[in-house]
């Protein structure tokens, strides 16, 4: 394939200070370092983390400023660095840019394929420019291979939300035929979690509020639905359905109370996985019970390359669907506004050409 012409400048959404104006403007197209590839980003999903980043809700996380946010980019390889072999990447390949843009690949975690635990991570849209731009760079090792026939507009959310819940389910250790409870099941992460759980052969109890959300999660494959607005004792109901408690609980909601409750409804030797991030929250564990019932509580966020490839594969085979709404890159500010007001349905995806 002949090399495409790479422009000198491109459109991007940039902010110079947190909470400052979201500027839709021309910036330089970055040059890939020797171990990087340059991706012509066609679409980028918008994640709640992007909103949190812009608002500086996580001041402990260091940010590059000015910054281009975004970590759900899907596009075409436009250039490869000098050290990138053709076995890794060729111009014209389809590639994804996910949250992990670069890991050290030499620490004890990286050596064990546990890059999300690397202490020297560079995250897309945090410490390096992300995917709300037309061209972005990513370490060749961390870039995600996308199948040639994938729909670039809808795969972006899998690169963050999809991986997050898929990795969470793997972290839970739940096996085919076992029960997993997903709280916040009708939300963006939850609806993907229900589908991945089903695809993995797990039995799903979905918790959310309202008949409409109940019908929605049952359509996605939840075997049982518990309406937290109506159920008097959720733990008791789960123990009844599962004959002794769920094997695992996946907490994607941002309700501290819901997360707290999950410790009570897993069975002996069950696992509680924490994913949702309610601000300034804690889980309180009864020590005697946790010890004697051998309950595990684990944190989980994104996965490594292999988790990512697996998550993409489920999506590519049509086992997992993610409803999206496509708007232009220039409309990011209005998407953030809808997110703040809790009015988004499905995932918003930015078309970088508009
Ligand atoms: Zn995200
Ligand atoms: Zn490392």
């Amino acid at each position: 394939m002949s090399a495409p012409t790479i422009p000198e400048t491109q459109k991007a959404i940039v902010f110079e200070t947190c909470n400052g104006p979201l500027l839709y403007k021309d910036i330089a197209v970055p040059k890939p370092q020797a171990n990087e590839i340059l991706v012509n980003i066609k679409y980028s999903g918008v994640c709640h983390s992007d909103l949190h980043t812009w608002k500086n809700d996580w001041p402990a996380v260091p940010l590059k400023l000015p910054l281009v946010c975004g970590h759900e980019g899907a596009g075409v390889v436009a250039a490869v660095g000098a050290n990138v072999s053709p076995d890794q990447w060729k111009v014209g390949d389809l590639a994804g840019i996910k949250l992990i843009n670069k890991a050290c690949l030499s620490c004890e975690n990286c050596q064990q394929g546990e890059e999300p635990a690397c202490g020297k991570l560079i995250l897309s849209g945090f410490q390096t420019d992300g995917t709300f731009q037309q061209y972005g760079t990513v370490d060749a090792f961390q870039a995600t291979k996308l199948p040639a026939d994938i729909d670039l507009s809808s795969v972006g959310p899998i690169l963050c939300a999809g991986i997050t819940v898929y990795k969470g389910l793997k972290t839970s250790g739940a096996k085919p035929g076992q029960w997993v409870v997903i709280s916040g099941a009708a939300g963006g992460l939850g609806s993907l979690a229900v589908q991945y759980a089903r695809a993995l052969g797990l039995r799903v109890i979905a918790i959310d509020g309202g008949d409409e959300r109940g019908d929605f999660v049952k359509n996605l494959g939840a075997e049982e639905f518990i309406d937290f607005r109506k159920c008097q004792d959720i733990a008791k109901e789960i123990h009844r359905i599962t004959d002794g408690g769920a094997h695992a609980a996946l907490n994607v909601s941002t309700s501290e109370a819901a997360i707290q409750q999950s410790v009570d409804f897993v069975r002996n030797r069950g696992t509680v996985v924490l994913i949702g991030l309610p601000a300034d929250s804690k889980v309180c564990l009864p020590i005697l019970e946790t010890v004697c019932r051998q309950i595990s509580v684990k944190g989980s966020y994104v996965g490594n390359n292999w988790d990512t490839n697996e998550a993409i594969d489920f999506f590519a085979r049509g086992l997992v669907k993610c409803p999206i709404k496509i708007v232009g890159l220039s409309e990011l500010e209005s998407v953030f506004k809808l997110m703040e007001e809790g009015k988004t349905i499905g995932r918003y995806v930015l078309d970088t050409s508009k």
Side-chain angles (χ1 to χ4, degrees):
M1 180 179 288
S2 65
T5 315
I6 301 166
E8 289 292 317
T9 61
Q10 58 163 336
K11 292 289 183 204
I13 300 271
V14 185
F15 58 85
E16 286 166 3
T17 55
C18 287
N19 277 306
L22 293 159
L23 307 167
Y24 178 62
K25 64 179 219 177
D26 292 307
I27 63 167
V29 171
K31 303 258 185 287
Q33 303 286 308
N35 293 322
E36 291 182 337
I37 60 171
L38 177 71
V39 180
N40 176 200
I41 300 160
K42 301 294 188 188
Y43 296 93
S44 174
V46 185
C47 177
H48 256 94
S49 307
D50 299 314
L51 175 62
H52 289 301
T53 304
W54 173 57
K55 294 187 64 158
N56 202 25
D57 286 338
W58 300 322
V61 181
L63 297 180
K64 161 196 177 290
L65 287 172
L67 180 65
V68 174
C69 262
H71 52 264
E72 298 183 356
V76 184
V77 177
V80 298
N83 293 347
V84 179
S85 82
D87 290 338
Q88 272 184 294
W89 291 104
K90 290 186 282 296
V91 168
D93 287 348
L94 300 189
I97 299 181
K98 62 185 188 327
L99 183 66
I100 297 180
N101 193 285
K102 193 171 291 177
C104 82
L105 300 186
S106 59
C107 72
E108 64 178 18
N109 289 309
C110 283
Q111 286 191 43
Q112 295 172 76
E114 299 285 350
E115 295 107 89
C118 174
K120 291 184 180 167
L121 286 182
I122 303 289
L123 302 179
S124 308
F126 288 81
Q127 293 91 35
T128 188
D129 283 340
T131 56
F132 298 159
Q133 57 180 347
Q134 293 172 317
Y135 288 88
T137 53
V138 57
D139 188 88
F141 184 79
Q142 295 301 338
T144 303
K145 295 268 182 196
L146 298 177
D149 58 352
I150 203 101
D151 173 14
L152 288 178
S153 68
S154 58
V155 72
I158 300 300
L159 291 166
C160 176
I163 296 168
T164 299
V165 297
Y166 177 68
K167 177 65 190 300
L169 288 163
K170 284 177 82 171
T171 299
S172 80
K175 300 195 170 53
Q178 296 187 335
W179 288 102
V180 59
V181 177
I182 297 168
S183 61
L189 286 172
S191 57
L192 284 168
V194 173
Q195 297 176 73
Y196 274 108
R198 266 299 292 255
L200 289 165
L202 303 173
R203 302 179 75 180
V204 175
I205 301 175
I207 304 179
D208 216 303
D211 293 344
E212 199 184 340
R213 293 172 92 79
D215 292 342
F216 175 63
V217 293
K218 281 191 164 172
N219 270 327
L220 293 178
E223 199 169 322
E224 300 277 350
F225 171 66
I226 296 177
D227 189 335
F228 67 79
R229 293 180 193 163
K230 291 181 189 161
C231 183
Q232 300 293 323
D233 188 337
I234 291 174
K236 193 174 169 192
E237 177 65 2
I238 289 170
H239 279 270
R240 184 192 68 77
I241 293 169
T242 59
D243 192 21
H247 299 82
L250 206 67
N251 288 292
V252 293
S253 83
T254 51
S255 157
E256 187 176 356
I259 293 168
Q260 183 64 51
Q261 205 165 37
S262 63
V263 179
D264 298 329
F265 58 61
V266 290
R267 67 175 57 199
N268 293 0
R269 297 174 60 234
T271 302
V272 172
V273 182
L274 307 178
I275 293 175
L277 296 170
D280 303 320
S281 298
K282 290 190 167 60
V283 179
C284 182
L285 297 172
I287 294 175
L288 177 70
E289 213 180 312
T290 308
V291 170
C292 296
R293 294 182 58 219
Q294 300 180 55
I295 309 292
S296 300
V297 179
K298 295 180 175 179
S300 176
Y301 74 126
V302 292
N304 65 11
N305 270 355
W306 191 247
D307 301 319
T308 307
N309 291 342
E310 289 178 341
I312 296 281
D313 183 61
F314 279 92
F315 173 77
R317 287 188 290 130
L319 295 169
V320 170
K321 294 187 169 58
C322 182
I324 56 160
K325 185 168 164 49
I326 301 173
V327 299
L329 175 65
S330 60
E331 293 172 67
L332 177 65
E333 190 168 355
S334 56
V335 175
F336 274 175
K337 195 158 182 288
L338 289 170
M339 281 180 157
E340 278 193 286
E341 293 166 354
K343 288 184 185 160
T344 49
I345 298 167
R347 202 78 161 176
Y348 274 75
V349 172
L350 306 177
D351 175 345
T352 65
S353 70
K354 295 179 195 161

